[in-house]
Amino acid sequence: MSYEMNFGQSYNKQLPSLGETMSEVIRFFGGQHIYGVGGDFAANLIAALSNNEHGDGIQINPSSNEMHAGFSACAQAEIDGMGFCLTTYMVGSLPCTSAAALAVTEGLPVVFISGAPAESEVNQVAIHHTIQPNASWKAEYDNALEAFSALGMRVERLQGQRVEGHPNIAGQRFYQIVAEAYKNKQPVFIEVPRDQVFAKTQPIKLPKSLENICCGSNILAGTELIVDNIISKLEQAKSPMLYLGDRLKHNEKLKMLILAFAEKFNIPYATTWFAKGLFDEYAPLCLGAYNGVFTQTPGREYIEKSADYVIDVATSIFPQDCNIAFATGTHKIETFENKTLLKGGSLLEKDLVVIFEGLLADNCKTFTFDPLVDKNQYHEKTALAIGSDDLDFNNLAQTLNDLQSQDDDTYVYLPEVGNSYFASYSLKVRKSKLGRSWITNPWYGAMGTALPYGRVVAQRLKALSEQAPQTEQRKERAVVIIGDGGFHFQLNELIHFLKDQTDITIIYMRNNIFHLGKSGEGPIYHCNDKAFDVHSLVKAYQGHSKTCTSVSEFKDYFKLCKQQSGISLIEVEAKPIEERQSNELKLLNLYIKSQNGQPDAVKAWQALTQ
Ligand SMILES: Cc1ncc(C[n+]2csc(CCOP(=O)(O)OP(=O)(O)O)c2C)c(N)n1
């Protein structure tokens, strides 16, 4: 029996292949790029999805390895709203489990697509790339599915028709799983048997737009009562504020509603640490990223001394140590009494959308917040970093803030995990065309992501500047801040900046050790060698580089980097000593020492937090 006999000839004629349907679905969800590495089980997928002569395919960007492809897909999900990664069976997909775990943790809709053996190959014999000890009595085909499933992800191997001529629903399944990633902001893993890529599948009719993918509306009852309650608390408040979390990062509509609400009633807002980079910290109502004693921004005083009512929106359901000032007990909002918590549990945060629509429709009083008075320079150093000082982690953020405040072009920061990550919380970030100007994996905290992330940012910035008319061309710049350990984790990704012809500034904070978390002198902490010449390396990638010692030398060269194309690397010789630490780390170290009962530290900590 054939399809023809089942549903008739005209139905049969219009059947697309699974590969065509996958391509259409990926593009529907905004995917114009896939990051990946090839292999025999992925060859058919690559052929089916790649850009074709009609220009309706997808650009498949090779990465240096699969973990990097996965990380780049995560960055794509951060910026474009959805990420796609393509690998071969097992050897290719398993290295992506680290990126998948990151995506689960950071709430990123990434679709990990893997080639798989043909259905006809299964059950005959053990297949290469499978996990097969030689004493094995049976062939295993599902280890990758199980590995991703163990991370709590939805996984599926697409299937062909079970009986010749019966409907093939693989295309529809692909759509449903990808839609699930989109709706839940979670990664999914899909294996595609290589013989199914060109098999015919039932055609699907995509919704008109992403807006129309049916997720139902808000099903929580009692919204009006919540709105009324907030309004009455606002009526009684003098100095209210919004405290915004990272669940907002994929919801532009909700972000806009919240900003409109803040502006209409003149209510200032701060973000959690994890939501840093989602809002323009130069905006008058923005109080910056707040995290208790670790906060350096000028909004801290308002939060801790003036605010009398907090609306906490889309922060995490479960308390996370780094977001609540490392449980130091100094996070004022955590224990704030007069607070309304709107965590947002519904699909696409529809519950919150309805609440903010309700709030916006109200005509309650406008508040008197004045940025010039209320955002006093509590912690912000008004003086510039001293030009003749040596540059190090203690003055890096101030130096970059000096540069950014005098430059209309936004720096899109990519801090790598290590000392760089902590120092980056004192950066004051401008609004970017990408919607994000500070991107890392703040919660999961995996080292090794800054260059795969930076690659995606640099590609998008290049595309945006090519699209913009000459007159409004603003050159935003991707800026990676990274330790030498972190850099050496991932420097094979540098080749793609050369290939893609994209621009990036890399601040290479060299101290020759894995410093953050170092607790001993053992060889395991030695990530570099004094004789390593980073300039020769950068030269191989046709890049520019310079070692900068003083703040003023750094500033001059940083400005020059912005004019240079390709890779520009600034080597900073960082000293792994306490005085040269960022404020965040000095405080964290002090807290740890005081917890350990060191008398001086106990005193100093008490003085600081009382
Ligand atoms: C994948 C991964 N491995 C290990 C760690 C633990 N870790 C966190 S920071 C760090 C050292 C960072 O050293 P480096 O990049 O040289 O920067 P520094 O702290 O010296 O500035 C390590 C090993 C991690 N977060 N992620």
Side-chain angles (χ1 to χ4, degrees):
M1 184 162 120
S2 68
Y3 259 110
E4 213 158 302
M5 290 165 68
N6 196 18
F7 289 148
Q9 201 179 17
S10 17
Y11 186 82
N12 192 41
K13 270 203 194 126
Q14 43 112 52
L15 291 177
S17 69
L18 174 61
E20 284 164 342
T21 301
M22 287 176 68
S23 177
E24 201 189 342
V25 170
I26 293 170
R27 280 181 286 121
F28 173 74
F29 283 96
Q32 296 173 17
H33 309 259
I34 297 181
Y35 293 86
V37 178
D40 49 355
F41 290 103
N44 285 351
L45 278 172
I46 293 166
L49 301 180
S50 295
N51 253 329
N52 55 26
E53 66 274 21
H54 311 296
D56 56 4
I58 298 159
Q59 187 180 324
I60 306 190
N61 290 316
S63 291
S64 307
N65 58 48
E66 285 85 356
M67 187 174 69
H68 284 180
F71 286 153
S72 284
C74 289
Q76 198 188 1
E78 291 274 11
I79 299 169
D80 303 341
M82 198 81 187
F84 295 91
C85 176
L86 174 64
T87 61
T88 193
Y89 184 48
M90 300 279 224
V91 279
S93 59
L94 286 176
C96 293
T97 48
S98 184
L102 185 159
V104 170
T105 313
E106 303 290 343
L108 301 174
V110 179
V111 182
F112 291 91
I113 303 168
S114 168
E119 291 194 333
S120 57
E121 285 173 279
V122 167
N123 290 331
Q124 307 296 326
V125 69
I127 293 173
H128 64 286
H129 293 337
T130 57
I131 301 168
Q132 201 69 30
N134 77 353
S136 194
W137 286 95
K138 68 178 174 87
E140 294 280 357
Y141 305 101
D142 301 342
N143 302 81
L145 290 166
E146 284 164 14
F148 283 89
S149 165
L151 301 175
M153 293 166 58
R154 171 153 182 201
V155 305
E156 186 158 318
R157 181 180 296 149
L158 299 182
Q159 300 179 39
Q161 58 193 11
R162 300 270 61 94
V163 176
E164 172 82 9
H166 279 194
N168 172 317
I169 59 165
Q172 189 196 144
R173 295 295 297 174
F174 184 73
Y175 168 78
Q176 284 166 344
I177 305 165
V178 177
E180 194 152 313
Y182 177 82
K183 288 188 270 187
N184 295 317
K185 308 303 172 210
Q186 280 293 300
V188 293
F189 176 67
I190 306 171
E191 280 189 355
V192 187
R194 58 172 153 185
D195 59 349
Q196 294 306 312
V197 175
F198 297 112
K200 296 291 182 195
T201 190
Q202 286 191 299
I204 58 172
K205 207 166 72 191
L206 289 167
K208 273 206 196 76
S209 74
L210 279 176
E211 284 282 296
N212 301 71
I213 78 170
C214 47
C215 319
S217 49
N218 177 30
I219 53 151
L220 292 178
T223 300
E224 312 75 36
L225 299 174
I226 299 174
V227 171
D228 288 350
N229 184 260
I230 296 174
I231 299 287
S232 79
K233 286 189 169 175
L234 281 172
E235 292 294 353
Q236 285 156 35
K238 250 182 82 195
S239 314
M241 64 168 286
L242 286 150
Y243 185 56
L244 309 173
D246 59 324
R247 264 202 86 157
L248 290 176
K249 71 180 167 188
H250 293 298
N251 200 326
E252 274 310 307
K253 181 174 178 187
L254 182 55
K255 262 173 77 181
M256 302 298 285
L257 276 171
I258 291 173
L259 281 180
F261 168 72
E263 274 155 24
K264 178 167 175 187
F265 299 108
N266 200 39
I267 298 174
Y269 50 89
T271 69
T272 63
W273 258 18
F274 293 165
K276 188 173 173 69
L278 290 182
F279 295 90
D280 182 2
E281 295 181 353
Y282 284 80
L285 285 174
C286 187
L287 301 169
Y290 176 75
N291 201 11
V293 72
F294 300 95
T295 314
Q296 296 266 296
T297 56
R300 179 173 165 191
E301 188 167 64
Y302 179 86
I303 297 169
E304 296 189 344
K305 302 214 172 118
S306 309
D308 58 0
Y309 173 48
V310 177
I311 308 176
D312 177 315
V313 190
T315 60
S316 74
I317 302 278
F318 197 73
Q320 298 156 278
D321 60 355
C322 18
N323 231 4
I324 49 163
F326 302 96
T328 53
T330 63
H331 197 287
K332 289 290 184 307
I333 293 178
E334 195 204 350
T335 48
F336 207 88
E337 291 237 338
N338 190 22
K339 178 166 65 170
T340 302
L341 289 174
L342 301 169
K343 298 280 191 182
S346 292
L347 280 184
L348 304 179
E349 297 79 36
K350 290 202 169 180
D351 49 344
L352 300 186
V353 168
V354 182
I355 289 174
F356 277 91
E357 280 169 349
L359 288 172
L360 250 181
D362 197 84
N363 275 325
C364 104
K365 65 181 177 193
T366 311
F367 294 91
T368 55
F369 178 82
D370 178 354
L372 290 177
V373 180
D374 292 314
K375 266 175 37 170
N376 78 18
Q377 310 301 307
Y378 182 67
H379 262 247
E380 193 173 53
K381 296 182 200 85
T382 36
L384 301 181
I386 299 164
S388 56
D389 276 358
D390 281 353
L391 186 74
D392 211 317
F393 283 112
N394 59 316
N395 52 12
L396 177 66
Q398 183 63 42
T399 303
L400 287 166
N401 288 346
D402 295 348
L403 286 158
Q404 177 66 97
S405 64
Q406 290 158 13
D407 194 339
D408 287 339
D409 298 343
T410 297
Y411 310 151
V412 181
Y413 291 116
L414 297 135
E416 175 61 283
V417 174
N419 283 319
S420 307
Y421 163 77
F422 282 97
S424 77
Y425 278 110
S426 291
L427 293 168
K428 186 169 174 183
V429 300
R430 232 188 241 301
K431 187 180 176 147
S432 158
K433 284 187 193 142
L434 300 180
R436 307 289 286 281
S437 41
W438 183 92
I439 310 170
T440 177
N441 64 119
W443 182 7
Y444 191 54
M447 276 174 84
T449 62
L451 293 179
Y453 272 46
R455 177 185 185 196
V456 179
V457 167
Q459 284 178 317
R460 295 298 177 280
L461 290 179
K462 180 182 176 192
L464 281 174
S465 83
E466 282 166 1
Q467 283 158 17
Q470 284 294 319
T471 45
E472 23 165 306
Q473 260 196 13
R474 278 249 176 103
K475 282 290 261 172
E476 297 195 6
R477 182 85 179 182
V479 178
V480 165
I481 311 171
I482 192 164
D484 47 357
F487 185 65
H488 294 213
F489 254 56
Q490 52 193 302
L491 55 78
N492 53 354
E493 202 62 24
L494 287 176
I495 190 65
H496 297 295
F497 294 92
L498 178 60
K499 265 181 49 236
D500 299 344
Q501 298 188 356
T502 48
D503 308 333
I504 191 147
T505 300
I506 299 170
I507 305 173
Y508 176 63
M509 300 298 291
R510 178 175 189 170
N511 55 19
N512 296 318
I513 53 163
F514 283 124
H515 187 225
L516 184 73
K518 176 173 175 286
S519 60
E521 293 309 319
I524 188 135
Y525 297 111
H526 293 259
C527 60
N528 202 352
D529 191 284
K530 282 204 168 71
F532 173 68
D533 177 13
V534 74
H535 305 291
S536 304
L537 178 93
V538 174
K539 198 156 173 272
Y541 294 102
Q542 308 300 317
H544 310 268
S545 68
K546 186 178 172 188
T547 306
C548 292
T549 306
S550 71
V551 166
S552 55
E553 199 181 358
F554 178 92
K555 283 185 176 173
D556 290 343
Y557 190 61
F558 186 92
K559 288 179 198 158
L560 184 67
C561 290
K562 270 192 67 201
Q563 317 299 324
Q564 291 167 169
S565 355
I567 298 168
S568 292
L569 181 140
I570 314 178
E571 181 182 43
V572 175
E573 285 170 354
K575 289 200 172 74
I577 52 174
E578 191 63 19
E579 309 88 271
R580 296 289 189 94
Q581 293 301 292
S582 64
N583 189 59
E584 291 80 357
L585 267 187
K586 279 184 191 150
L587 287 171
L588 202 53
N589 290 339
L590 181 67
Y591 177 64
I592 293 167
K593 281 185 197 151
S594 90
Q595 288 292 88
N596 289 340
Q598 288 187 20
D600 287 355
V602 173
K603 255 201 215 147
W605 183 259
Q606 274 170 358
L608 199 88
T609 51
Q610 264 157 21

